[in-house]
Amino acid sequence: MSKGWERFFFVVAYITQGSSYMSPRAYAIMHRLHHAHTDTELDPHSPSFSKNIFSMMWRTRNIYANIFSRKEEVEPKYTKNVPEWDLFDRWANSATSRIIWIALYVAFFAIYASSPWLYLLLPIVMTMGAFHGAIINWFAHKYGYKNYILKNTSENLFSIDILMLGEAYHNNHHKFPSAINFGKRWHEVDPMYPVIRLFAWLGIIQIAKPAMAVPQESNM
Ligand SMILES: [Zn+2]
Ligand SMILES: [Zn+2]
């Protein structure tokens, strides 16, 4: 996509993720490291190297923070062509920004919550980005079914995945990391696939040729 559209999606990501905003640059690098080192000690998040989901999330958080602040040296092949907007990222990732969002969420709950029980959802709302990530990175590397036998623990978590927007077909995704359609079998509907096609049709993005499902050699 063009730099202009890239910035548009930075802003959209900020509005939708709010207090749990994650830098697209840092996340992209971390995600490439996950694919390159799945289920090894160098994997930023692997259930095989963490006792429970919370220690995995904490480990991921620290690796993310080191990549974000550029304390951790990353090989250039992992930083090539990642989305970048440093000034914006620094604000959106700041403690001040997170506190402002949390204050807005609390105000929203104070106005609209019809029962005090609903406040139990507040921590999930505040950490939604990390929460969503952990569901895939923990559960889809532990439970589900496999379409492909790979040298890692990835599974397809659900046979139909609407809520995770196709992300839960994680075994398929590890087999074909660059495929824009995460679904492979007839019941595996990836709701984001038609959206990507629509964006391409509207000229917002261009679909790269290798994006059409090249299996990852090292995983075969
Ligand atoms: Zn994975
Ligand atoms: Zn991936």
Side-chain angles (χ1 to χ4, degrees):
M1 65 177 75
S2 67
K3 201 71 195 163
W5 278 114
E6 187 180 297
R7 296 205 158 179
F8 172 82
F9 285 111
F10 263 84
V11 175
V12 174
Y14 180 54
I15 294 167
T16 52
Q17 293 172 21
S19 62
S20 63
Y21 176 85
M22 275 182 279
S23 152
R25 177 185 181 275
Y27 200 92
I29 294 170
M30 200 166 73
H31 193 64
R32 284 176 178 178
L33 291 170
H34 171 63
H35 277 283
H37 306 293
T38 318
D39 291 325
T40 71
E41 220 153 336
L42 295 171
D43 188 342
H45 41 74
S46 167
S48 318
F49 285 89
S50 292
K51 275 199 305 288
N52 57 55
I53 188 167
F54 298 105
S55 62
M56 186 190 77
M57 284 171 82
W58 189 249
R59 186 180 134 88
T60 313
R61 183 223 161 260
N62 292 334
I63 293 170
Y64 166 84
N66 287 339
I67 295 172
F68 182 81
S69 62
R70 296 174 202 235
K71 255 186 239 150
E72 174 151 337
E73 283 243 22
V74 201
E75 280 178 65
K77 64 176 173 181
Y78 298 117
T79 58
K80 218 175 112 197
N81 289 332
V82 288
E84 243 172 307
W85 190 2
D86 268 359
L87 200 66
F88 185 87
D89 253 0
R90 245 177 289 159
W91 161 254
N93 206 74
S94 70
T96 319
S97 163
R98 297 198 198 284
I99 290 165
I100 292 172
W101 279 107
I102 289 170
L104 288 172
Y105 301 153
V106 172
F108 186 89
F109 273 69
I111 297 167
Y112 295 106
S114 52
S115 149
W117 288 105
L118 289 172
Y119 279 89
L120 291 175
L121 294 171
L122 199 51
I124 299 174
V125 174
M126 290 181 330
T127 58
M128 188 55 87
F131 186 80
H132 192 157
I135 291 178
I136 300 302
N137 296 333
W138 180 265
F139 295 104
H141 273 277
K142 267 181 119 55
Y143 310 105
Y145 65 93
K146 286 178 197 288
N147 283 342
Y148 307 100
I149 302 299
L150 306 174
K151 284 187 202 144
N152 62 58
T153 58
S154 63
E155 311 238 7
N156 290 340
L157 190 53
F158 310 121
S159 49
I160 299 169
D161 173 35
I162 302 299
L163 284 181
M164 292 288 130
L165 302 175
E167 290 270 327
Y169 309 130
H170 203 64
N171 176 251
N172 297 355
H173 176 57
H174 270 279
K175 174 76 177 176
F176 301 104
S178 55
I180 53 177
N181 183 359
F182 279 32
K184 290 291 166 222
R185 287 160 70 183
W186 68 269
H187 54 84
E188 295 166 350
V189 179
D190 178 352
M192 277 303 108
Y193 176 57
V195 177
I196 294 172
R197 283 272 176 219
L198 177 70
F199 281 4
W201 185 72
L202 292 170
I204 296 170
I205 56 165
Q206 274 183 316
I207 297 171
K209 281 280 179 297
M212 308 311 285
V214 185
Q216 191 174 32
E217 299 290 332
S218 61
N219 269 343
M220 286 166 79

